Amino acid sequence: MTSSTTGTTGTPDTPDTSGSAARKGSLAAFKGLLPYLAPYRRQFLLAGIALLFAAGATLAIPAAFKQMIDHGFGASVGARGIEHVNATFLALFGVAAVLAVATAARFYMVSWLGERVVADIRAAVYRHVVQQSPAFFETTRTGEVLSRLTTDTTLIQTVVGTSISLALRNTLLFGGGLVMLFVTSPKLTAIILGLLVLVVLPIVLFGRRVRKLSRDSQDRIADASALAGEILNAMPTVQAFTHESIEAGRFQHSVEGAFGTAIRRIRARATLTMLAIVLVFGAIVFVLWLGAHAVLEGNMTGGDLGQFILYAAIVAGSIGALSEVMGEAQRAAGATERLLELLAVRSDIQDPAHPRPLPPRLAGGARVTLDEVSFSYPSRPDSAALSHLKLDIAAGETVALVGPSGAGKTTLFQLLLRFYDPQAGGIRLDGIDIRDLSLHALRDAIGIVPQDTVIFSSSALENIRYGRPDASDEEVIAAAKMAAAHEFIERLPQGYGAFLGERGVRLSGGQRQRIAIARALLKNPPLLLLDEATSALDAESERLVQRALEAAMVGRTTIIIAHRLATVQRADRIIVLDEGRVVEAGTHAALVAHGGVYANLAALQFGAHAPAVA
């Protein structure tokens, strides 16, 4: 049976993990977030107003201290000096009250924005991922996608909910403090600025290395998550082969790799912070030393120097905070790029610009026509899975596909569901090329019972209702009865409300298969695809389900993939595929009498009881 498990390389729906995006600037990466920020302009405006009030209150504090020093302590002892000190401290309390209210309002608004925007991004990424074609999931591990949905979005939440606010706040404090430094002492301020120009360059250059390491750190975390997800989903196999220690060692190695990269990032960021603080504060201390000499020489008042010191502290603190914010922003830039790469992926399988509707459903099911269909998987372009396949299945006909593994049977199902498009030829459903139908309309007309049954972590009722979400409880139970599932479901502790466990671990293989059959029957589609639908059933269950399926096939077109020929002997027609071509077609009796590929397969399965073959 042809499968599509091999990775696809170079396809349009493969995310770029080469790291080329990491060479973009941080601002370029964050521009991709603008569509998610735009709907909340009002909240950003309110946060900005609160930010302005908080910054203004902070910048007013040094001016109050200057007044207190020069006109309070500096005044002659008496009622006037005491009154000035009292008024100054009363004003300081008022400033503190304004600062408290504005800071609380800013914190609430930006935190709300962080949570809201990240929720929108997570929903958008998930919605985008579930619409990708199978080629995307051949090359992208589930754990990596989950890492981007959780770890990467958490970093973006930090930026939107904290870092942007802190950056704007400290930018305002830096600008306002710088202006007030000029007002207080233009000479000392000019010296500070000259020194800052010399110290900022190495900080910027070192910051680029921090950003690259941040991107690498996120990639290693995603690798570890992907490995863990893969192993946890295969625990029975891991334990059956006693690979617990091996897999634990593999994960430990992956975690240690992520730890090593994180430590390099942390070390670089710590060095960046140290460099920024030492250089900036060193420059400020030098200038303040000059200011102290100016006071001693009578060129400045004590209040001017006190005010200058406080504003210098505000400017220095804002620069230090901005360097911290820059570190977070650089780390989040890598996470943003990874998410934007994921959102930029476009599937080859798209809805047509102007979808055509399917004709009204008739009682006989759907007609399926394959016209010279040729297809190769993108990962194996030189190996044809189907080659010039011609097949016309009448409405209401039951057709069985048989043949050796790799013959193209499952590939045909994948093309019918338009998981892939053929490179040549076309497929028509009721006379309409399936590429002219919307994906929803096409897949809504098809019911499938896969060989590998998928059971979701919910109740039996909801697992069956997955076939038709608007179905009533009575319709769900009726479908379960048709699939011979009602009896064992009723015996579950909570009946139809019983939780079936992750991937249906609380059910046997046959029970899971009957749940899947009930799901397909509930959908009631005109075209039914059965991929080894009874392969996991015991003899008694198979007999019950086979009878239910035969009843369900009435009034619809059914295509069956089967290796067990006993399940397809009553098909209207049996199509024998080999290397992607139809090599034989006919009824069971005719094909056995013909003595070809099918007759050989029948002889192998039925042994001595097989009809004579040529």
Side-chain angles (χ1 to χ4, degrees):
M1 181 184 321
T2 303
S3 64
S4 56
T5 55
T6 305
T8 302
T9 57
T11 58
D13 43 1
T14 300
D16 174 20
T17 56
S18 62
S20 60
R23 291 191 289 271
K24 300 176 183 176
S26 297
L27 293 179
F30 288 129
K31 283 180 181 177
L33 298 179
L34 291 179
Y36 302 97
L37 303 177
Y40 307 110
R41 296 184 184 90
R42 178 173 173 271
Q43 286 82 357
F44 273 105
L45 178 61
L46 293 175
I49 293 172
L51 185 64
L52 287 173
F53 272 97
T58 302
L59 291 171
I61 292 174
F65 272 93
K66 169 183 164 56
Q67 296 296 318
M68 181 181 65
I69 293 172
D70 284 347
H71 301 288
F73 298 155
S76 58
V77 176
R80 183 180 176 186
I82 295 173
E83 289 175 1
H84 204 93
V85 169
N86 291 341
T88 300
F89 276 95
L90 187 62
L92 275 174
F93 178 78
V95 169
V98 171
L99 178 61
V101 173
T103 301
R106 174 189 63 83
F107 172 78
Y108 174 81
M109 290 309 304
V110 297
S111 297
W112 185 92
L113 283 165
E115 297 287 348
R116 180 67 267 167
V117 169
V118 166
D120 291 347
I121 291 174
R122 283 176 175 157
V125 171
Y126 189 79
R127 187 183 308 111
H128 183 74
V129 167
V130 297
Q131 293 173 347
Q132 298 306 306
S133 72
F136 172 85
F137 297 99
E138 289 177 3
T139 56
T140 305
R141 293 178 295 181
T142 304
E144 183 178 349
V145 174
L146 292 176
S147 174
R148 297 190 189 195
L149 279 171
T150 53
T151 308
D152 290 355
T153 52
T154 299
L155 289 175
I156 294 174
Q157 179 182 2
T158 301
V159 170
V160 177
T162 303
S163 299
I164 290 178
S165 172
L166 289 178
L168 291 174
R169 174 179 179 272
N170 285 285
T171 299
L172 288 174
L173 291 178
F174 175 78
L178 203 59
V179 169
M180 294 307 298
L181 284 176
F182 265 112
V183 170
T184 306
S185 175
K187 177 181 176 181
L188 293 180
T189 306
I191 295 173
I192 281 183
L193 290 180
L195 292 173
L196 285 180
V197 171
L198 295 177
V199 302
V200 163
L201 183 61
I203 294 174
V204 171
L205 294 176
F206 202 79
R208 293 181 180 177
R209 172 171 171 76
V210 173
R211 181 167 177 271
K212 182 180 182 302
L213 289 172
S214 297
R215 168 72 187 236
D216 293 342
S217 178
Q218 291 305 112
D219 288 340
R220 299 293 77 75
I221 292 172
D223 290 342
S225 298
L227 178 61
E230 179 182 9
I231 299 307
L232 290 176
N233 282 327
M235 280 312 298
T237 302
V238 172
Q239 293 175 348
F241 284 88
T242 64
H243 274 218
E244 296 93 334
S245 298
I246 295 174
E247 297 301 343
R250 286 180 62 202
F251 184 73
Q252 177 71 24
H253 179 74
S254 181
V255 169
E256 289 299 328
F259 173 76
T261 305
I263 289 301
R264 288 194 295 275
R265 170 183 58 80
I266 293 169
R267 188 184 300 121
R269 185 176 171 189
T271 304
L272 176 63
T273 303
M274 179 187 69
L275 189 67
I277 292 175
V278 168
L279 293 178
V280 172
F281 275 86
I284 291 174
V285 167
F286 172 71
V287 172
L288 294 181
W289 175 76
L290 296 177
H293 279 272
V295 172
L296 293 175
E297 294 167 1
N299 297 325
M300 291 181 71
T301 67
D304 285 335
L305 180 60
Q307 176 174 287
F308 191 87
I309 290 173
L310 290 175
Y311 280 125
I314 289 174
V315 170
S318 63
I319 293 175
L322 285 172
S323 70
E324 284 283 329
V325 170
M326 184 59 68
E328 288 292 338
Q330 287 167 341
R331 189 180 178 200
T336 302
E337 287 165 353
R338 286 157 49 88
L339 283 171
L340 294 179
E341 285 171 6
L342 198 56
L343 286 169
V345 172
R346 289 293 175 265
S347 173
D348 284 338
I349 309 300
Q350 297 286 344
D351 280 330
H354 303 288
R356 293 178 60 186
L358 278 169
R361 179 176 176 181
L362 301 176
R367 179 182 179 184
V368 179
T369 306
L370 287 86
D371 187 14
E372 293 288 342
V373 171
S374 295
F375 174 73
S376 299
Y377 286 100
S379 57
R380 304 185 295 277
D382 298 328
S383 176
L386 295 176
S387 181
H388 302 287
L389 183 64
K390 287 179 65 70
L391 191 60
D392 192 4
I393 302 175
E397 187 178 11
T398 297
V399 172
L401 303 177
V402 301
S405 296
K409 303 184 293 296
T410 299
T411 298
L412 179 55
F413 275 20
Q414 291 178 326
L415 294 181
L416 285 171
L417 287 161
R418 209 177 164 223
F419 290 158
Y420 300 91
D421 281 336
Q423 283 87 21
I427 302 173
R428 295 190 297 276
L429 186 67
D430 283 336
I432 300 176
D433 193 309
I434 62 173
R435 286 172 290 200
D436 294 332
L437 299 171
S438 71
L439 293 173
H440 178 79
L442 170 65
R443 293 168 184 171
D444 196 48
I446 300 175
I448 184 167
V449 180
Q451 183 175 9
D452 297 323
T453 305
V454 174
I455 301 295
F456 298 98
S457 299
S458 60
S459 68
L461 190 74
E462 294 307 316
N463 261 284
I464 298 175
R465 187 178 275 135
Y466 202 83
R468 184 156 56 89
D470 60 347
S472 66
D473 290 356
E474 292 74 17
E475 289 173 314
V476 171
I477 294 172
K481 289 178 178 178
M482 289 182 64
H486 176 72
E487 185 177 345
F488 82 78
I489 292 175
E490 286 282 272
R491 290 199 302 265
L492 295 174
Q494 288 85 35
Y496 279 86
F499 176 68
L500 302 184
E502 186 176 5
R503 295 180 292 118
V505 294
R506 297 185 177 183
L507 301 179
S508 69
Q511 290 172 333
R512 290 197 294 269
Q513 198 79 345
R514 279 178 276 174
I515 291 286
I517 292 170
R519 184 186 297 159
L521 294 177
L522 180 65
K523 189 176 183 181
N524 192 28
L527 175 59
L528 184 61
L529 307 180
L530 305 177
D531 187 356
E532 294 284 353
T534 60
S535 61
L537 303 181
D538 56 65
E540 177 63 19
S541 295
E542 181 178 359
R543 184 182 61 81
L544 295 172
V545 172
Q546 194 66 39
R547 186 183 304 166
L549 288 176
E550 288 173 2
M553 292 174 191
V554 176
R556 77 182 82 246
T557 305
T558 306
I559 305 176
I560 306 169
I561 291 177
H563 283 117
R564 293 164 62 178
L565 303 186
T567 64
V568 299
Q569 294 185 53
R570 297 183 184 179
D572 298 322
R573 193 159 36 124
I574 297 173
I575 306 296
V576 183
L577 294 177
D578 192 15
E579 296 184 352
R581 292 181 171 87
V582 176
V583 294
E584 293 175 2
T587 63
H588 170 76
L591 290 175
V592 168
H594 177 66
V597 175
Y598 182 85
N600 291 331
L601 292 173
L604 289 173
Q605 292 195 21
F606 297 129
H609 302 286
V613 294

